[in-house]
Amino acid sequence: MAAGIVRAENPAEALERNRVEVIGTTPLPGLGLPLSQVPANVQIFSPGPGARASTLPDFLDGNAASAVATSGQGNAFQPDFAYRGFTASPLLGLPQGLAVFQDGVRANEPFGDVVNWDLIPSSAIASIQLIPGTAPVFGPNTLGGALAVYTKSGAQFPGGSVEVHGGSWGHRAVEAEQGGSRGPWDYFVMGNVVREDGWAEHDASRVNQLFAKVGHQTDESDLDVSLTLADNRLDGIQALPRSFLDDIRQPYTWPDRNTNRASLLTVKGSRFVDEGVLAGATAYVRKYRNDNFSSNVADPDSGLEATNEEAVVDQWSYGIGAQLTFSGKALGRGNQLVVGASADRGDSRFTRHSQPARFDGSRGTEATGPFTLETDAAIASTRYGAFVSDTFNATERWVLTLSARADRTVVGVGDRSGEDPGLEGRHEFSRVNPAIGLNFVPSDRFTAYAGYSEGMRAPTAVELTCADPSAPCKLPNNFLSDPPLNAVVAKTFEAGARGKPSPAFAWSAAAYRTSLSDDILFVSSSEGAPTTGYFRNVGATRRQGLELSASLVQPAWKLALQYGLVDATFRAPYVEPSPDNSSADADGNIVVPAGARIPGIPRHSLKVSLDLMPVPEATLGLSLRAASAIHARGDENNRDVNGRVPGFAVLDLRASWRPGVGFEAYLQVDNVFDRRYATAGILGRNFFTGPGHAFAPDSAVSEPFLGVGAPFGAWVGVRYAWK
């Protein structure tokens, strides 16, 4: 890429527009690469005003191949997101295998690597890049891919809008945004307020988001300072026993609530320091607090009916990164070299209190005693990384990419209670992860590629302190002095092709295999309490599959299809406790054979989207989302008598009408045929088997608990936009 061409469009602003032309191959500000030179099946999205989804995973669930959003938490703003069988979730206990970034800042929390989707302001998103594979340059946790989100700027999104929408389940919301520029300065601000009662009982949501950005641009430089604020309260209903599905709106136990408050200040800049040499840097500081209240059935041996658990994560995180991009010639051919380094620090205080309780007639908990402190821990996690990547145009048709990243992670845990000195510990993990890719580009209408990459995920403090089978802990976790865990190492092969034979038609196809050694899973170990257990290395696992996508755009209609095949299996046998599995032995253990399917990952997923435009002022669209059956967690041996959680197919409709300049009215209908379906499952013990699902511990039964999908819902809205 010639430096003169790059400067014609500001490099950092190139990713903040609704038509993405370059791929961000690192989290930090740089020149990026044309899609034709990236050896991976990158999926690119630019959500417009018509892309109305509660969260980013909901949008990707309807638009990205091999992507699935599930409802394990029971709240619309707390979905679990899986891509190619790897997870990014707000739920402690799920293996986190995707790295998520907002404007180059890692969104995975230092505490547990979880991702709180409600803290990412979806209305401020300019573009999304879903980058598959191990992608080592994106750093730790990039086992299955990286999700990079770029926010809007006033220079690329001038003008403003106000939008009001409401409908089913007491949903009402107001969104507003305004952007503009004057000379080298630009600004953008967005506010979002949502209130919803939820489709189930005790399932309300309160979401408040604010995003603001100020930028300064010249032909030589770009500087952005942004602030993201969120104050959200999210109630959930937990997974339901299968015998409760006569009324999917009832809770198993309640209340269960997450309160998330966060503020993120980011400074991002780039500047040409010489002809073809771009320096980029990012720095951030983030304050995050999570207050979790959960109601649970007590351990049968405790003599209690129930317990209330209060857990608080109070966290500061900081980071800085810098890189140099050299664009020019090497051996007389086009070449782009990127070198960079980053450092991230997270300081967390984790406290957990427990309270004895009993159940009332609605399965809500009533306290019978005071809260007592069970855990008070301080956690410090530090990550250092240095990387290099070179893209070399070996010939007019062949492009070679070589990259590597060295990472070092240090996790320190300290006991603040003074009662558990064995909790004190310091854990270090380091590795150099390489990658190589080759692209064949005979024309601007076709690209073929192949690549290999490696990556690492270090165990988090949550996993390191909950790894003893003889002392299982609850989620959110008790912290204990436990044996060490090994880091997870992923190795990915991918090959594919993509093409655009005409402006109206585009397609892509990819095949991949990701093999993991020392994979970490959460193992449930207590009857009736699937959130009680421990983390362990389970040896080798593998995700392999296919991705197929096609889109066709005509003047009066457009069609898009995405298909994903994910074959996710255990590759080494092991024994784990699963007392609620019907095939468990007298000690409650099951033998997981090599070749057994990993629970929670559908083998097939399909998305079909059709939009009709009978007149320029109106659009009518439909979307089909389908996924095949999955095994429930706890059925790792695939032998539980209850079988798999059935697959599903759900149809959604949308319509919009633009009666005049700036005005738009729209209708959204989800689950048109009110299909009853589940997207997640876990084996557990149901203690509410009495009349009317009353508490009856003496007649408790083991059965699948299901994360039920939302029923029929409809919403209308009005939007007015101006320039």
Side-chain angles (χ1 to χ4, degrees), residues 324-349:
L324 283 173
T325 304
F326 302 88
S327 180
K329 299 287 186 179
L331 303 177
R333 308 295 304 179
N335 190 75
Q336 180 172 293
L337 174 66
V338 181
V339 294
S342 63
D344 297 271
R345 167 85 179 192
D347 292 305
S348 307
R349 178 81 176 269

Side-chain angles (χ1 to χ4, degrees), residues 54-55 77 117-124 174-176 190-194 207-211 228-232:
S54 299
T55 61
F77 295 92
W117 301 106
D118 59 296
L119 303 181
I120 298 177
S122 56
S123 299
V174 178
E175 302 176 13
M190 181 282 302
N192 183 28
V193 177
V194 181
V207 176
N208 301 305
Q209 298 172 335
L210 176 68
F211 176 80
T228 305
L229 301 175
D231 183 357
N232 306 330

Side-chain angles (χ1 to χ4, degrees), residues 83-84 86 97-99 131-135 141-146 490 492 514 516:
Y83 173 62
R84 290 189 175 182
F86 293 91
L98 300 173
I131 302 166
T134 308
N141 219 54
T142 313
L143 303 182
T492 298
T514 300
L516 277 67

Side-chain angles (χ1 to χ4, degrees), residues 490-509:
K491 299 179 180 181
T492 298
F493 292 91
E494 179 173 346
R498 50 181 168 258
K500 194 169 185 179
S502 72
F505 180 62
W507 64 272
S508 67

Side-chain angles (χ1 to χ4, degrees), residues 466-625:
C466 182
D468 189 349
S470 64
C473 53
K474 294 181 179 180
L475 298 174
N477 291 63
N478 281 327
F479 274 26
L480 306 167
S481 178
D482 287 347
L485 294 172
N486 297 324
V488 184
V489 175
K491 299 179 180 181
T492 298
F493 292 91
E494 179 173 346
R498 50 181 168 258
K500 194 169 185 179
S502 72
F505 180 62
W507 64 272
S508 67
Y512 63 89
R513 170 178 288 186
T514 300
S515 300
L516 277 67
S517 58
D518 290 319
D519 203 356
I520 297 175
L521 296 181
F522 181 75
V523 178
S524 299
S525 62
S526 175
E527 292 181 341
T531 57
T532 298
Y534 61 97
F535 294 92
R536 62 165 291 182
N537 292 114
V538 297
T541 63
R542 186 177 71 193
R543 283 85 163 166
Q544 62 183 3
L546 300 171
E547 287 175 355
L548 304 174
S549 299
S551 63
L552 180 61
V553 180
Q554 296 295 315
W557 58 276
K558 58 182 179 180
L559 176 68
L561 301 96
Q562 291 88 25
Y563 167 74
L565 166 66
V566 181
D567 178 47
T569 56
F570 297 100
R571 306 312 302 168
Y574 71 98
V575 177
E576 75 169 33
S578 184
D580 292 303
N581 189 313
S582 62
S583 65
D585 62 19
D587 296 322
N589 294 323
I590 61 174
V591 178
V592 181
R597 289 195 54 76
I598 299 175
I601 302 173
R603 184 176 175 85
H604 304 280
S605 62
L606 175 69
K607 294 89 182 278
V608 181
S609 177
L610 175 64
D611 287 284
L612 305 175
M613 293 155 278
V615 295
E617 297 82 16
T619 302
L620 176 64
L622 61 85
S623 296
L624 175 71
R625 297 175 287 120

Side-chain angles (χ1 to χ4, degrees), residues 196-219:
E196 186 177 285
D197 299 333
W199 62 265
E201 299 174 20
H202 314 295
D203 191 25
S205 300
R206 182 201 71 196
V207 176
N208 301 305
Q209 298 172 335
L210 176 68
F211 176 80
K213 180 189 287 186
V214 176
H216 183 275
Q217 302 179 58
T218 69
D219 291 340

Side-chain angles (χ1 to χ4, degrees), residues 44-240:
I44 308 167
F45 306 96
S46 299
R52 297 176 180 90
S54 299
T55 61
L56 180 56
D58 292 325
F59 174 81
L60 295 172
D61 183 47
N63 294 276
S66 301
V68 178
T70 59
S71 53
Q73 295 270 66
N75 184 283
F77 295 92
Q78 298 184 100
D80 301 325
F81 176 68
Y83 173 62
R84 290 189 175 182
F86 293 91
T87 302
S89 167
L91 183 63
L92 290 170
L94 291 182
Q96 308 288 339
L98 300 173
V100 181
F101 296 88
Q102 176 184 323
D103 288 334
V105 175
R106 184 177 293 270
N108 301 78
E109 304 291 350
F111 186 84
D113 275 338
V114 299
V115 180
N116 292 292
W117 301 106
D118 59 296
L119 303 181
I120 298 177
S122 56
S123 299
I125 295 176
S127 65
I128 303 164
Q129 296 182 5
L130 185 54
I131 302 166
T134 308
V137 171
F138 283 88
N141 219 54
T142 313
L143 303 182
L147 179 60
V149 173
Y150 301 94
T151 57
K152 298 176 181 177
S153 68
Q156 297 291 340
F157 289 83
S161 67
V162 174
E163 182 174 336
V164 181
H165 49 93
S168 294
W169 319 325
H171 179 90
R172 59 270 189 205
V174 178
E175 302 176 13
E177 66 178 58
Q178 175 66 51
S181 60
R182 175 173 294 183
W185 294 93
D186 67 87
Y187 72 94
F188 180 85
V189 61
M190 181 282 302
N192 183 28
V193 177
V194 181
R195 299 291 183 270
E196 186 177 285
D197 299 333
W199 62 265
E201 299 174 20
H202 314 295
D203 191 25
S205 300
R206 182 201 71 196
V207 176
N208 301 305
Q209 298 172 335
L210 176 68
F211 176 80
K213 180 189 287 186
V214 176
H216 183 275
Q217 302 179 58
T218 69
D219 291 340
E220 302 290 334
S221 65
D222 178 80
L223 178 67
D224 288 322
V225 180
S226 63
L227 177 67
T228 305
L229 301 175
D231 183 357
N232 306 330
R233 193 184 76 179
L234 310 172
D235 292 349
I237 60 170
Q238 307 178 350
L240 285 179

